Amino acid sequence: MIWSLRKRTRGKRELDAFFGKGIHFEGDLTFEGTLRIDGFFEGEIEGGTLIVGVDGVIHSDISVSDVVVYGEVRGNIRADKRIDIDALGKVYGNIEAPSIVIQDGALLEGTCRMEAESNTLAAVIPIDAVSQGEETLLRRGADLQDMREMTEQDVLLARVKLLIIMCAAYLKDYPLGEYRRDAIIENANHVATGSEDVPVCREWIQEDSNSTDGMDLTYVLRERVRLLALMAKGFAEGNPMGQFRRQALEENIDFIGGAINFSKQAVDMRFLRVA
Amino acid sequence: MENVKIAVVDGDATVRAFVVNLLTYCVNRHVLSFEDAESAWDHFQGHADIDIFVLEVGNSGGLDVLERIKERDAGRICVAMSSSSEDEQRAGKLGADAFLAKPFGMDDLFAVVQSFVAEEGKSTTAV
């Protein structure tokens, strides 16, 4: 089915068509002007300015002039002018436009490509990049209101997460070069020393973490982190890792990750496949 | 970016050691480490072999050195770090390519590597 909507009036963000909540639409859609979708849409969309409302769910590739995403899109988005993903927005697909704004809190699972209006590739930017005129400044780290100097505890927690990623990469058989081995050993030594501080470990634990059959979770976490450091040093130094040791390493990663609410799957580490 | 050379500048030894450690692991290469921006600048003037600067700009001289680096070669990548939003704005105006707002985590540094080193499936070359 192909639907075509014609623009009736001109004006920014003035709605020309509206698919309300509860409407389920399947087919290809071409429109002019501004269209807002708050229902479910499956098919291909081409046209002017598209607004995906908070309740909107789109399963399709989108090719429009501008798009603002407050809801969910599963498909690739290409815009001639601008893509704006609101803090509530979720996009599972690749996005491409000359101007891209991804609000803090938004979800993007896919690549993000900014292309100059001359169709010359300008830059490939990750989440959180903010367009500033013609320049693009990648911004990462704390939100504006949370900016402060880093404490030793901040660094130690970041090191524990890095150690988890180092171990996860090893279990994926990612290559270990000379410098990587030394870096793993160095990080493991820092973590093993730092995690002896029990109050610090207590701060890491998420409130909803599972208890450990009567044992103090802080104590268990500290010992598991120290064990993880030992395991990491072991494989970095070339000690043999049989099937059961690999399983134990995997299990330890999962426990620590769960306790501190850190998922290794949330970190894109594919670039580590080459050393 | 093949055979990338990275320099990390931060007066805080704990932060500097962490950033150097993480980047060394990511790129599998030696990463230069400097306690202050002027020392990094002196090295750069003598060798001009640094592709990416990860530079604390909240302390004395950081913004000044950032400006000098960009004036000398706008193509050198400068990642500014600070706990101050004012530094963020200044660094952006001086041409910084990225800003790391403190406190940042390992995933933030991974994002920097992905953006400036491991672009589009390429990665670093082992030594």
Side-chain angles (χ1 to χ4, degrees):
Chain A
M1 180 188 296
I2 298 177
W3 283 56
S4 180
L5 304 177
R6 291 223 168 264
K7 184 178 178 183
R8 293 190 297 269
T9 57
R10 290 191 175 275
K12 281 189 177 178
R13 298 283 162 84
E14 184 177 346
L15 289 181
D16 299 298
F18 179 74
F19 285 4
K21 188 177 178 182
I23 292 179
H24 186 110
F25 183 92
E26 292 184 27
D28 296 335
L29 173 66
T30 303
F31 70 97
E32 294 179 3
T34 301
L35 167 67
R36 178 175 177 122
I37 296 178
D38 274 296
F40 178 87
F41 183 95
E42 186 168 3
E44 290 191 6
I45 301 177
E46 289 184 15
T49 298
L50 175 67
I51 300 171
V52 182
V54 173
D55 296 313
V57 177
I58 295 180
H59 289 190
S60 77
D61 290 337
I62 296 170
S63 180
V64 292
S65 172
D66 307 84
V67 61
V68 185
V69 181
Y70 298 101
E72 178 179 316
V73 175
R74 290 181 182 270
N76 300 324
I77 304 176
R78 182 185 173 90
D80 295 333
K81 293 180 181 173
R82 178 185 169 105
I83 296 171
D84 192 335
I85 306 177
D86 185 73
L88 297 173
K90 297 183 177 114
V91 175
Y92 303 90
N94 303 326
I95 64 174
E96 186 173 345
S99 175
I100 294 173
V101 176
I102 302 172
Q103 304 290 344
D104 189 21
L107 172 67
L108 170 64
E109 286 194 7
T111 62
C112 176
R113 183 182 295 266
M114 290 183 75
E115 191 171 329
E117 293 191 65
S118 62
N119 287 332
T120 303
L121 184 63
V124 178
I125 60 169
I127 301 172
D128 293 343
V130 178
S131 177
Q132 296 189 339
E134 293 183 356
E135 300 294 328
T136 301
L137 179 69
L138 168 64
R139 187 191 193 283
R140 296 287 306 206
D143 291 335
L144 199 62
Q145 68 275 15
D146 298 325
M147 289 172 70
R148 57 172 171 76
E149 290 297 333
M150 291 178 74
T151 64
E152 291 195 1
Q153 287 88 340
D154 292 328
V155 175
L156 184 57
L157 181 56
R159 280 189 175 278
V160 171
K161 292 177 179 177
L162 174 61
L163 193 63
I164 288 175
I165 293 301
M166 288 169 161
C167 293
Y170 169 78
L171 289 173
K172 288 177 177 287
D173 294 325
Y174 287 1
L176 283 174
E178 176 191 349
Y179 289 99
R180 276 192 183 162
R181 288 183 186 277
D182 290 345
I184 291 169
I185 293 167
E186 183 188 334
N187 194 36
N189 286 335
H190 275 280
V191 167
T193 305
S195 60
E196 290 176 358
D197 188 345
V198 174
V200 169
C201 295
R202 188 172 294 121
E203 286 182 14
W204 297 345
I205 296 172
Q206 298 299 301
E207 290 181 358
D208 57 350
S209 293
N210 294 327
S211 63
T212 51
D213 298 329
M215 291 188 72
D216 178 11
L217 184 55
T218 303
Y219 173 79
V220 174
L221 175 62
R222 185 191 69 173
E223 293 306 307
R224 283 209 177 247
V225 168
R226 293 173 69 189
L227 174 61
L228 186 69
L230 199 63
M231 290 168 155
K233 282 181 71 174
F235 70 71
E237 289 171 348
N239 294 336
M241 289 287 287
Q243 175 191 349
F244 292 105
R245 281 186 179 168
R246 292 175 73 94
Q247 284 178 357
L249 178 59
E250 179 86 51
E251 192 269 336
N252 202 24
I253 289 172
D254 289 343
F255 181 94
I256 296 168
I260 64 175
N261 195 26
F262 174 69
S263 171
K264 61 183 186 293
Q265 283 86 5
V267 178
D268 185 355
M269 56 179 173
R270 289 171 295 178
F271 69 91
L272 295 172
R273 285 179 297 196
V274 179
Chain B
M1 186 182 290
E2 292 190 355
N3 299 321
V4 63
K5 194 152 205 172
I6 303 174
V8 176
V9 184
D10 198 316
D12 184 329
T14 303
V15 175
R16 186 175 68 247
F18 165 61
V19 175
V20 168
N21 187 207
L22 183 145
L23 294 176
T24 302
Y25 174 75
C26 286
V27 303
N28 192 33
R29 293 187 66 80
H30 177 62
V31 172
L32 298 170
S33 174
F34 298 96
E35 190 175 344
D36 61 85
E38 285 298 336
S39 300
W41 173 250
D42 289 343
H43 175 94
F44 184 55
Q45 283 199 303
H47 299 82
D49 58 352
I50 300 170
D51 303 298
I52 301 175
F53 290 84
V54 183
L55 182 67
E56 161 65 47
V57 294
N59 296 327
S60 61
L63 285 167
D64 185 43
V65 168
L66 165 62
E67 186 173 23
R68 276 184 258 161
I69 293 167
K70 283 295 183 182
E71 281 178 356
R72 175 167 169 173
D73 184 350
R76 307 288 167 154
I77 293 166
C78 290
V79 179
M81 304 183 287
S82 178
S83 58
S84 161
S85 58
E86 291 178 1
D87 292 331
E88 178 177 354
Q89 292 179 343
R90 292 190 193 116
K93 287 176 182 172
L94 293 173
D97 301 275
F99 183 79
L100 285 172
K102 291 182 175 180
F104 52 79
M106 52 82 56
D107 52 331
D108 300 312
L109 289 164
F110 268 42
V112 168
V113 174
Q114 284 180 305
S115 294
F116 301 115
V117 183
E119 54 189 336
E120 303 222 54
K122 294 179 187 174
S123 192
T124 52
T125 304
V127 180

